[in-house]
Amino acid sequence: MTTSQHPQLAAIAASSGNAPDARRLRTILIAVSIALMAVIASSAGLSVAQTHLAVSFGASQSTVLWIINSYTLALAALLLPLGAVGDRLGRKPMLIAGLAVFGAASVVAALAPTAGVMLGARVVAGIGAAMIMPVTLAVITSSFPEEQRGKAIGVWTGVAGGGGVLGLFLSAFLVDAANWRWLFALPVVLAVVALAMTLKSIPNSVERSAHSFDTVGALVSVVAVVGLIFVLQEGPERGWTAPVTLTSLAVGLIAAVGFVAWELHRRDASLLDVRLFRERGLAGGAITLLVAFGVQAGITVVLFPFFQAVLGWSALLSSLGIMPMAAMVPASSLAPRVAARIGVRWTLATGVALVGAGLALMALFVSVDGGFLSVLPGLLALGFGIGLAMTPSTEAITSSLPREKQGVASALNDVTREFGTALGVALLGALLSAGYRNAIGGQLHGLPQGTADTARQGIANALEAAGSAGSNGQDLVAAARQSFVDGWHEAMWVGVALMGVLFAYVVLRGPRTSAPEAPAAEAELAGSIAAR
């Protein structure tokens, strides 16, 4: 990465210790990207090893899901408080501590002898990840000059989005080629490398505040996030009307309302100034990011049963099939240039339109007989659209909060991402399941009641039941596969409608700002140097 600052200004800034040179900026970006990749890879990995975990620990499906979801729950719940703590205590010490906690917990998880030990290790790893994620973005926003910040954020968002896709592929490869315990090797190696680079290259930044830490706001935010994320994670498994689901929803909503009321009361001393959501950039960026990550996560979840149950692919080949969505990585890097030409609002609108087009392509062309080629155009459009939308969304969020709260801004970005992920999985998964049940219900005549009831539960259950259906087995397989595709179509069209609403919102209420011009940034730097 090269700097576009005037040479004399750059030299003065570098000599005064206020701005790292271009080489150090590259090192900083590489270090935080590796740290972020460790967190993302650990989040994506275990989902491909569910059956192996159940066999190794003799655990139920519910326990396996808790092993997977506990990491995300701890991560999402603690992002805002730990982001604020990092601003106050120092971002470099927080990153070092987070990498150490995360790495140690990942080693324990790899060696865990029981499900209980594994569950505890994943919770601790989630705490470490919550120390890492907001700091990685805050380091970028506090270290990079304004005219280079967009490109750096583009790399960060590319890693945040594409890292999950790459993590799934590598995890599936390790599970098939070696053992599920090797899934933790990659996060541990990445954490160690990031720790070494952090100690050597990342500058520390501490923001002083005239106000005391918002302890009440931090605690209430944890309750709100845990309650709402729990509903999205456990609702599909336990049932949306189950007492524990409804209780969690009530607690989460009450805590969320209480958090908003408390933050309005604290005003300038708040953990998160919720009044800023009136500003177009913050609101538009958060909503777009929520939907973008929701679509990415939801599509990933429904693609795996399509590849495995409809096309008959292995886990490794299915992970490879998702790779076209990695088009979001180059698109994230390209987004700042597009925003500089057409503005942030129209860049967001273009990304949203491409995501909608990708969903429409899947709704129109995906079929049992079409195979992988029937999903490929939609995957490419989705990946490029998501990448194009993520970078300006993230930059809109971070630029809306002041420098002393960049850890909170980064945490807000990450919380939005986690909520979007959970919401996308729950929504698209529920729509697909409902569509499948509706489609297959009329095709089970002549089957024993037990076999029909099993087939209604899902396509994997139907394929398993086909073995005991005798002469009707092949017909049941064909019906289940077609019903899955019918449910897929319904879910995709709902997604298209949601993207249409989001497109209209972005066009009418999107951020007004455009990418900063380099001369303006140079003038600001010159003014600050002259003032000293």
Side-chain angles (χ1 to χ4, degrees):
M1 182 180 295
T2 59
T3 178
S4 59
Q5 285 182 318
H6 188 281
Q8 186 176 2
L9 291 177
I12 295 172
S15 64
S16 63
N18 288 308
D21 59 24
R23 182 176 180 181
R24 192 178 183 193
L25 286 175
R26 283 195 297 270
T27 305
I28 291 171
L29 183 58
I30 292 171
V32 297
S33 296
I34 292 174
L36 178 63
M37 177 62 83
V39 172
I40 300 299
S42 186
S43 176
L46 279 185
S47 60
V48 302
Q50 294 184 42
T51 57
H52 299 80
L53 291 171
V55 172
S56 294
F57 295 130
S60 65
Q61 179 65 17
S62 177
T63 300
V64 171
L65 289 176
W66 265 109
I67 289 173
I68 295 171
N69 291 339
S70 60
Y71 175 86
T72 305
L73 197 63
L75 168 61
L78 295 173
L79 280 168
L80 274 178
L82 292 180
V85 171
D87 287 337
R88 288 171 175 261
L89 298 184
R91 291 163 186 144
K92 182 173 183 176
M94 178 63 79
L95 184 55
I96 291 172
L99 288 166
V101 170
F102 174 83
S106 297
V107 171
V108 173
L111 303 174
T114 65
V117 174
M118 169 65 88
L119 186 60
R122 292 295 287 170
V123 171
V124 175
I127 296 172
M131 300 167 72
I132 295 168
M133 275 196 79
V135 173
T136 57
L137 186 55
V139 166
I140 289 175
T141 56
S142 63
S143 300
F144 278 74
E146 189 174 4
E147 72 275 10
Q148 298 183 57
R149 197 173 299 150
K151 294 180 181 179
I153 290 176
V155 173
W156 188 94
T157 55
V159 172
V165 177
L166 181 61
L168 279 173
F169 172 70
L170 292 176
S171 298
F173 174 77
L174 288 171
V175 168
D176 285 354
N179 184 281
W180 68 264
R181 293 185 182 274
W182 283 97
L183 291 175
F184 297 97
L186 178 62
V188 169
V189 170
L190 291 173
V192 171
V193 173
L195 181 58
M197 295 185 71
T198 298
L199 290 168
K200 181 179 180 180
S201 303
I202 289 186
N204 190 26
S205 56
V206 181
E207 308 298 343
R208 306 300 178 187
S209 175
H211 307 287
S212 61
F213 182 73
D214 186 7
T215 304
V216 173
L219 293 175
V220 175
S221 74
V222 170
V223 175
V225 173
V226 169
L228 296 176
I229 292 287
F230 180 89
V231 170
L232 295 173
Q233 288 181 342
E234 297 296 313
E237 179 72 15
R238 298 171 181 265
W240 296 105
T241 58
V244 67
T245 305
L246 295 177
T247 301
S248 180
L249 177 62
V251 171
L253 290 176
I254 292 171
V257 172
F259 175 76
V260 172
W262 176 256
E263 298 305 279
L264 288 172
H265 169 71
R266 290 273 297 188
R267 298 180 71 84
D268 293 338
S270 62
L271 179 71
L272 174 63
D273 190 350
V274 294
R275 296 171 296 174
L276 290 171
F277 280 95
R278 300 170 185 165
E279 199 271 323
R280 288 187 173 191
L282 182 61
I287 293 173
T288 304
L289 205 63
L290 180 83
V291 175
F293 273 105
V295 169
Q296 179 194 351
I299 288 295
T300 301
V301 166
V302 301
L303 272 174
F304 265 97
F306 175 78
F307 287 145
Q308 293 177 313
V310 176
L311 302 186
W313 289 8
S314 67
L316 179 60
L317 190 57
S318 299
S319 300
L320 187 61
I322 295 176
M323 289 302 289
M325 283 187 68
M328 69 183 70
V329 177
S332 297
S333 300
L334 180 64
R337 300 180 191 175
V338 178
R341 288 182 175 272
I342 65 175
V344 174
R345 180 190 301 187
W346 292 108
T347 304
L348 283 176
T350 303
V352 170
L354 282 172
V355 174
L359 293 172
L361 287 170
M362 289 188 168
L364 289 169
F365 298 117
V366 171
S367 66
V368 175
D369 298 328
F372 178 67
L373 291 180
S374 68
V375 300
L376 180 58
L379 285 178
L380 290 172
L382 280 171
F384 200 85
I386 291 171
L388 205 59
M390 282 195 304
T391 299
S393 297
T394 298
E395 195 167 6
I397 292 173
T398 57
S399 62
S400 297
L401 273 75
R403 175 186 172 87
E404 65 270 14
K405 289 197 173 184
Q406 281 304 294
V408 175
S410 305
L412 176 61
N413 175 85
D414 298 333
V415 169
T416 302
R417 176 187 185 278
E418 296 301 327
F419 264 112
T421 298
L423 185 60
V425 170
L427 179 60
L428 283 182
L431 288 171
L432 181 63
S433 296
Y436 168 83
R437 287 193 298 270
N438 291 335
I440 202 172
Q443 303 183 57
L444 300 176
H445 303 297
L447 291 176
Q449 187 62 42
T451 302
D453 290 341
T454 300
R456 287 190 186 95
Q457 295 175 11
I459 185 170
N461 306 83
L463 296 183
E464 183 177 354
S468 59
S471 60
N472 294 319
Q474 287 300 108
D475 291 337
L476 178 56
V477 169
R481 288 173 172 170
Q482 185 58 51
S483 297
F484 182 89
V485 170
D486 291 342
W488 172 296
H489 290 161
E490 292 182 16
M492 293 304 104
W493 282 123
V494 172
V496 171
L498 291 175
M499 298 312 297
V501 173
L502 179 60
F503 179 82
Y505 173 83
V506 170
V507 170
L508 296 175
R509 297 287 302 170
R512 292 193 181 99
T513 55
S514 59
E517 297 291 337
E522 291 172 3
E524 181 182 348
L525 175 60
S528 64
I529 294 173
R532 290 196 299 272

